[in-house]
Structures are given as structure tokens and as C-alpha cells.
Amino acid sequence: MQPEDTTDAQKDDSFICGVVEGFYGRPWTLDQRKDLFIKLQEWGMNSYLYAPKDDYKHRAYWRELYSVEEAEHLTTLISASKECNITFIYALSPGLDITYSSPKEMVILKRKLDQVAQFGCTAFALLFDDIEAEMTESDKEAFQSFAQAQVSVTNEIYEYLNQPKEFLFCPTQYCASRAVPDVPNSEYLNTVGSKLAPGIDVMWTGPKVISRLITPASIDELAEVLRRKPVIWDNLHANDYDQKRLFLGPYSGRPSALLTKLKGVLTNPNCEYGANFVAIHTVAQWSKCSIENLDENQSNDAVSAVSADIKLEQESRSGRSDDEDPSLPMLTYHPRLALKKSLQLWLPEFKRTKSMWGPISKPHVNNVPPVTFSSSGQSAVPCSSTSSLEEGGTSPGSAPMPTAEHSSSEDTNELASDATLTPCLVDGTESAESASMVSLDRVAECLEPMETVESTSSASSQAKNLDVEDVDDNDIKESPLKEEMPGAPDHEEGDIVMESERKEEEEDYQLGVDDLCLLCDLFYLPFEHGPQGMQLLQEFNWLKFNAHLVASNPSKPTAAGPPEVKEWHHRAEKFDAMSRSLNKLFTRLTYINNRELLYELYPYVWDMRGVVALLNSYVKWLACNQGSKQGFLSGEQEPWVFRGGLAADLQRLLPLESVNDLFLYKSPETPTRQVYTIRPYLASDERSVYELCRRLYTARFGATYCDMEKTLHSYPDLLGDINFGAFLTLSPEFCFVVEDDHSVVGFVAAAANAKELQRQVRVAWIPEMQTKYRELFQSNSTGEDNIPSPLKDLAAKLQKLHTEDLPDALLTYHPSQLKMWLSDAVIDHSVSKRLLTCAVAALRAHGSSGCHVYDVDVFSMEFYSRLGFVELKNVTHVQDVMYFGRIF
């Protein structure tokens, strides 16, 4: 269903509506821009603003003319826009180092725009965003103020270009939070309003750089100062400030009453072109809506900008609107209905045949330095901003954080006060349960979406300054024991998504609108999660805080069981179903024909699937092994808004504080549809775990002991008993397995109290082993030669098991013990971290604050080191024993 062509009579016929390509990162391709022009025309939009930060001749080297090759590219682009009746607006940003009073600089500026005009461009923009409000001495002599200097240059260029019909100006104070001291009293904005030529339009981002709400009253106030209607440069869907966030939700927070108060809206969307269908299409729907049916109070009430949505939604708990309300007036914009229409049109895009090669890489800018700030009543809080380049500033697409030396409590208060996510039910009401999820820190309420607050405990994490893309897992050895199965295929075969393996025609593999609705709800908007995303948060939070209900009844309830226990298990099953739905979305996505779109969406969905699967594993552990609630009470003071969106919010509901490094992993460079499932260990898994243990050990020594497999045939359980038997028998509640589609491929075993485990091993486990392996124990003590040497070594290891007391210095900070093996057949480098996270979360829930690995050998040192363990050198005097540990 296409947006209607009907335009409200009260709206300006020259209303500018379109897209600004103004983000930092990899630019869109020529084909993508051509495709954009076609879509803009189909949806009744009319403008495209060219301002990519990858084009250094747009900003950093604005004086340089384009080369022949670059000129051909721009000429082709402008011609393509004209064919679709889209106005191509070329933007130039000279503000970094221009001398406003220099006649030579004006000649250079005119020459540059003359060149672009020769390409066929007829619309222009001068951007003075994110620059220092300082002038040279010569400029101070020529102009009374910074604003007057900019206005003088802009007016002269406007006249030189014969007053083009479309000419835009982006001020340095481009949002209310940057107006000094405020919008009505800003000398800068008042000068712009009074001195700038009336035919030049002024750009504005709203109350903040990324604005949750833009009210008609705020635009009225601005228009009075500027003496013209502003053009909104809208960053609602911009994601260049956070590599873990993608925004697929509908255009919202902008009342329809704005249509008569604005000269236009240009949306600055996600860096990933294919992910912007909903963002752009819903803007088109919004621009075509009628303003006749608006409630009179809506224009004066910021909150009611989204309240109409609640009235019509009749949301189901699945987060979808089942039917449109026939009582709703036609051409009235409602975000969720707009989303539904957009998804129906977006679905065919996934079936378009588009190829893609090479490794997956996100288009964001890397190596952005973190900054800090202080707020009143708070100690210095580490923060990060991901939007800065060599010039130290950003576009209206991404705001920089104030640096520590320039910050104050006043600066902090000028940041986005609406940048917090309020936990709400799908009907828009705040629940006590949701409100109890996280205590909203007041500091968080002063943050833009690109600005983060970390707890002081997180600040001490080993990974506090790491970014997800900084993690290089390419050379990670996934297992301390390398498995090379005879005749086994390469890791990639059968798992990597091949073009010839698509099964889009098979019903089970077809992506549907429901899948896309789930996708959008998981990656919604900067200030809110979609209904299904909120449901994940609410259900997990409820299960976690009510896990004590199943403490005395860990098995599934009977018909006569307590109702609260039944409810807990019912909601656990519901969370499991939601996790399976996400797995299905992930798998179906890998089969789509549009490989270009797959490459853009895959890293985000892969990461989200892993996070939800991890939480689902933890819920299953709670169902069977509820322990102390002590671990749940820590970390809840953290603010709601964190860098990373919904995935980060979900992670922070785990009882973990100082293990941020376990959440840092690089997504696969090539799409794979292999799904690994981590779950609590069951007694029925013993044979599979023992078999994997034997295979891994045999593969490790295969070159030295050619007949190892044959040697162990008589004692199939020996390796399992030595390495994991005591854990599985005496501490099964802290054991987890990881499965692929066929079998167990890894496991972790732990004990919360290593000293108690050692005591039980000596009292019960060793005597049982002496009975089970009587001849091995006897041969070792008598020195018989009829036992093969490898078996003698293993028997000696079995006898030595837990005979030495654990040092008190070790147990002080690392009271728990852990051991972990993973097959090299696991090609997902995040599995080892997720598996360890499950064990750490379980130990943490029982009050443990650290764990150690006993008797680490040279084969597993690197493996554990990659997982954040460090060698504990001063805890024992035994020469041949190494301990590795980590604190959490």
C-alpha cells in the first residue's frame, strides 16, 4: 500500500521531504542511491541532500575541486535524481577553517560550487555545524559576530548562484540544547533570523541532536526567532554513533501539526542503506497525512505526540496490531499502522536477487576515542562517544560529548533530558514490574543516545574502553584440546550460507511479515524498544526476580502444584518460545535472495539471537537450579540507557557486573546459519559429554599415540571421569552443554565452592573410582608392565586427582572452580564466551565472586587467556601446577 498522494491544503506546496546522506562511515553506492531516488519518487518525496562525511572534499578539504572520475560520479548521480524528479541538493561544509573576510576564500568557494553546478546541480546547502565559534583576527575586524560572518558568506553565495529555489543553511547552533543561552535569547539565532536572506531555508534538529519529541510549540518559538519555517534535519534513525544499534522502527514523536509549521523534513537514517526502508517510507506516510483530524490539545502536549498510537493500536501481546480500527479517520498518521504498511512493502525487497561477496563489515567509523564528563552530585562517570573524526567534530547526525575540561553541571543539564527509556507495557502504561527493572539514574536522563553511562563497577572491567569491533577473534583457539576428526569436512562447509543453498521457495524458510515485525521490534528507535523487545525485557526480568518461587520445586509443576509455580514455568516456556522465534527469524534471514540486505542485517540479528539464547539458557538453569538470590541484587542501580540498545539492556539484566569482555565478540565475516544452543547439563548428557571428551583428548595426542583410540576402548569412561566426572556427579547444577544441530560440541563444568568439592571428591569420588578402575589403581601401585603407558599416565592422574589441598591464597578471591572444553568444529567465536557467561552467571547467583581453573597445561593456556583468565603465580609453591583465574 503506497502512501496517498493527497496533500493537505494547509501545507506548503514547496514542502521539502526526503533523505540526507549525512552520516559518518562507508557511503552508499551509486546503485543504492539510484534505487533511493526511485523509491523517493514512488513514495511522493522530492529531495536528497548530499553530505556524506566520507567525501572529504565536502568538508575537510572543501577547497579542492573534484577529479575527473569524481566529477563523472556526481554527474551520473545528479542525472539519476533528475530522471526521478528528485531535487539533488549539494552540501558543502567550509566552516572548519574558512576565513570569512578573505576575498580569496570566497573565490575558492564560488569556484567549487560552480564546478558542482556544471554537473547539473541546481540546489545547494552551506553547513556550519560542529565547529568552534571562533574567528580569526581579520574576521573580528570585518564582522561584529560569528553569526554575521556566516550570514555574510551565505548571502553572497546565494546571490552569486542567482538565488536558487532550494538553498539551505545549517547553523552552528542547530538544536535547542546548543542555543546559547536558549532559543529566544540566542544572539546567534536572532542574527541569523534577521540578516539571512529570506529565500534561504534554515536547518534544525529539534530540542536535541537526536530528538525524542519535536513539539509544535518549540517550532513556533524557533520560527519566530528565525523569521521563517525551519527544515528539520531529523536524526531519529541515525545509527553512526553506535555500532551495535540499528533503528528499524517507524517515524514517531513528530505530531502531524508540524506539517504546517515546517518548510520540510530530511531524515538522516542508518548507515546501512537496505535497513532504511521503514525509516524513509514512514516519513513519506507522515508527510502525506491529514492535519484536520488532530486533537486540539495535541499540538500543545508533547506526550500526546504518541498517545494516538495507544488509542488505535489494540496491541496484542505479540506486539502486532491485528486489525486496523475502522473508526479511525482516514489519512491520520499512527506509527504502528505506518510500520505495518511499510513492512508489507519491505518484504518483497528481501526476495530481490542481489549478490554480495567478501567479509561482512559494518559501515561505521572505528577508533573513536572515549570521553568523560562530570555531573553535579556525581563522581566522574566514564562515557563514550562514537562520533568524531580527525576534525574533532560531528555532523548534525552525531553529537560529540563535552570533554572533561569543558564540562560542567550546566553543560550536563543541557544534554538530552528525554534520552531515557521508560519501561512501558504495550498499552503505553508504566507497570510497577517494569519500573522495578532498573532504577533510572538521573545522570542517564541527561544523555543523548550516543552518550553512555557506565557504573563504577563496570568501569573496573577489563574491557571498559573496548569497542565490539576492536575485538579480533580470528586467531582464537576455541578449544584447549584441538579436535581433528578423520574425514570431517572443513569448518565452513555446510554451515556457511552459499548462494546455491537458498530455500526461499520452501515454506519453512520463507521470511514473513511477522518475522519482519519481530526484527523491527528488536531494533526499534533510540528512545524506545518495540513491543516484542519490551516483552523480552519484562519476561526475563520477572523470571529472574521470581526465581525463588521454584527454589523448593525445581521440576515442572503438577496439576496440583502452587499456582505461582505454574505461572513461573508458563512464563519460562513463553520466553523459550520467543527465543525460538528469534532463531527462526535468524535462519530464515540466511536464506533470502537479497544477499546485500543480508550482509547489512546479519551482524545485528546474529548478536541479538546470541544474547537472547544466552538469557534463555539462564532461565532454564533457574528452572532447575535456583540458588541464592544474592547475585541478583547487584548492578540494579545501573541506568536504563546503555550503549548497545536492546541487546545491551538484556545483557545487563544478568547478575553480572565486571565481565563486559565476555560480551565483546566479532560477528562472523561470512553469514552462517549454524545455531548453537547452550543449556543446563542433564543426566542424559553424560554419554555425549564423555564421548566428546574422549574425541578431543584423542585428537590432541593422535600424532604421538596412533593407537590411543584402541587403547581407550577398554575404558571408555576414563577420560570423562578424570576431567569432568567429579563435577557432573557432585556439582551438576553448575554444568552446561552446547549443542549444534546434531550433538554436544562443548561443555563447561563448575563448582561454587571448590574446597567443598575437593572434600567430597576425597570422601566419595576417589573411592568410587578405585572400585571402578581397580586394576589400573593396582597396576600403578605394583608397577605391573601389562598396562599400556598412556593408561598408566591416566591412572596416575586419576589417583592424584584432588590429593593436594587448594591454597588459601587461591580461594580468597577465586573460591569457585571451573573447567571448559569446546570442539574446534565450533566455528562461531562467540560460543566460548557465551558458554562461560552461563557458568559465571550461575556461580554469581550463588554468591561467588571469582573462579579458577586447576592444573592448566600448555595446551589450554591461550584458550583460557582469551576468555579473560590470568595466571595466578603467587598462590602455590608446587612447581608443576598452574592456576588460572578471573574475578567477576
Side-chain angles (χ1 to χ4, degrees), residues 553-579:
N553 187 9
S555 59
K556 286 195 174 183
T558 61
E564 60 270 17
V565 175
K566 291 182 183 179
E567 181 185 9
W568 196 97
H569 284 284
H570 172 73
R571 295 179 76 157
E573 292 174 357
K574 185 176 181 180
F575 191 86
D576 181 65
M578 295 164 70
S579 179

Side-chain angles (χ1 to χ4, degrees), residues 27-46:
W28 297 337
T29 66
L30 179 62
D31 287 341
Q32 288 174 334
R33 287 164 174 160
K34 288 181 177 179
D35 182 72
L36 173 65
F37 298 154
I38 293 172
K39 285 183 169 61
L40 293 179
Q41 182 184 36
E42 290 178 352
W43 300 341
M45 305 171 87
N46 56 30

Side-chain angles (χ1 to χ4, degrees), residues 487-723:
D490 294 338
H491 300 332
E492 314 283 324
E493 186 175 337
D495 294 316
I496 298 301
V497 177
M498 306 299 291
E499 302 250 349
S500 60
E501 292 181 351
R502 299 174 196 160
K503 300 181 180 180
E504 261 205 351
E505 301 306 317
E506 299 182 27
E507 184 175 352
D508 290 342
Y509 298 95
Q510 287 186 343
L511 204 66
V513 172
D514 287 348
D515 296 311
L516 296 188
C517 186
L518 173 60
L519 175 66
C520 292
D521 279 355
L522 296 176
F523 303 96
Y524 206 62
L525 291 172
F527 304 98
E528 60 180 312
H529 303 313
Q532 293 179 83
M534 279 304 304
Q535 193 176 2
L536 279 170
L537 283 167
Q538 291 169 345
E539 290 299 327
F540 180 80
N541 184 73
W542 188 92
L543 289 166
K544 185 183 72 168
F545 276 95
N546 291 280
H548 62 278
L549 296 174
V550 294
S552 58
N553 187 9
S555 59
K556 286 195 174 183
T558 61
E564 60 270 17
V565 175
K566 291 182 183 179
E567 181 185 9
W568 196 97
H569 284 284
H570 172 73
R571 295 179 76 157
E573 292 174 357
K574 185 176 181 180
F575 191 86
D576 181 65
M578 295 164 70
S579 179
R580 284 185 277 110
S581 295
L582 181 51
N583 287 342
K584 186 182 296 183
L585 165 64
F586 174 78
T587 302
R588 288 177 172 177
L589 190 64
T590 62
Y591 284 109
I592 64 174
N593 283 332
N594 193 333
R595 314 312 283 175
E596 180 182 292
L597 187 52
L598 169 65
Y599 268 57
E600 292 184 333
L601 297 177
Y602 183 87
Y604 298 98
V605 180
W606 173 86
D607 184 50
M608 183 67 72
R609 191 215 69 82
V611 171
V612 174
L614 175 64
L615 268 63
N616 194 36
S617 302
Y618 188 70
V619 169
K620 291 180 178 179
W621 178 83
L622 288 175
C624 303
N625 303 288
Q626 167 59 21
S628 168
K629 195 177 178 182
Q630 176 183 353
F632 300 153
L633 302 180
S634 61
E636 296 303 329
Q637 76 283 357
E638 305 243 358
W640 184 264
V641 178
F642 287 89
R643 183 177 176 190
L646 176 62
D649 288 341
L650 288 167
Q651 288 169 356
R652 283 169 176 81
L653 291 181
L654 283 170
L656 302 172
E657 290 180 318
S658 300
V659 292
N660 289 353
D661 59 303
L662 294 183
F663 296 121
L664 299 175
Y665 21 70
K666 191 175 182 179
S667 60
E669 291 189 349
T670 307
T672 171
R673 62 176 59 98
Q674 179 64 64
V675 173
Y676 296 98
T677 302
I678 300 173
R679 59 171 176 79
Y681 167 83
L682 303 174
S684 57
D685 294 321
E686 181 178 306
R687 180 54 46 206
S688 297
V689 170
Y690 274 36
E691 174 64 21
L692 178 60
C693 188
R694 183 178 59 80
R695 290 204 319 268
L696 291 173
Y697 191 90
T698 302
R700 169 180 169 182
F701 291 105
T704 307
Y705 299 101
C706 299
D707 58 345
M708 177 65 75
E709 184 76 25
K710 183 177 180 181
T711 302
L712 293 173
H713 181 73
S714 302
Y715 302 96
D717 295 345
L718 181 58
L719 286 169
D721 283 336
I722 292 174
N723 291 286

Side-chain angles (χ1 to χ4, degrees), residues 72 76 81 140 193 198 200 211 231 258 291 343 362 426 429 501 503 679 713 732 746 766 786 809 857:
E72 290 178 354
T76 302
S81 69
K140 291 178 181 179
I200 300 176
S211 299
V231 174
L258 290 174
I291 65 169
L343 294 184
K362 293 185 178 179
V426 291
T429 60
E501 292 181 351
K503 300 181 180 180
R679 59 171 176 79
H713 181 73
I766 292 298
N786 59 334
D857 56 36

Side-chain angles (χ1 to χ4, degrees), residues 169-292:
F169 169 83
C170 183
T172 303
Q173 297 181 15
Y174 55 78
C175 62
S177 64
R178 300 198 172 193
V180 181
D182 53 34
V183 172
N185 299 299
S186 168
E187 180 182 348
Y188 175 92
L189 291 177
N190 276 281
T191 300
V192 169
S194 62
K195 303 295 184 181
L196 193 67
I200 300 176
D201 295 314
V202 179
M203 305 191 77
W204 188 254
T205 65
K208 311 294 176 185
V209 178
I210 301 175
S211 299
R212 182 178 190 175
L213 296 171
I214 301 178
T215 64
S218 69
I219 297 302
D220 286 339
E221 180 183 66
L222 175 68
E224 185 176 352
V225 173
L226 295 180
R227 305 183 185 185
R228 72 200 75 204
K229 297 179 180 179
V231 174
I232 296 296
W233 172 313
D234 208 322
N235 294 311
L236 184 65
H237 289 91
N239 75 329
D240 57 352
Y241 54 85
D242 192 340
Q243 297 188 34
K244 295 193 59 99
R245 303 193 73 177
L246 189 70
F247 302 117
L248 307 179
Y251 194 63
S252 64
R254 283 77 174 129
S256 302
L258 290 174
L259 285 169
T260 60
K261 300 177 182 294
L262 297 174
K263 182 61 185 294
V265 171
L266 295 170
T267 180
N268 181 35
N270 299 281
C271 300
E272 294 83 359
Y273 170 73
N276 289 318
F277 192 100
V278 170
I280 300 172
H281 187 262
T282 53
V283 170
Q285 293 185 65
W286 176 86
S287 70
K288 299 297 183 290
C289 70
S290 170
I291 65 169
E292 294 178 353

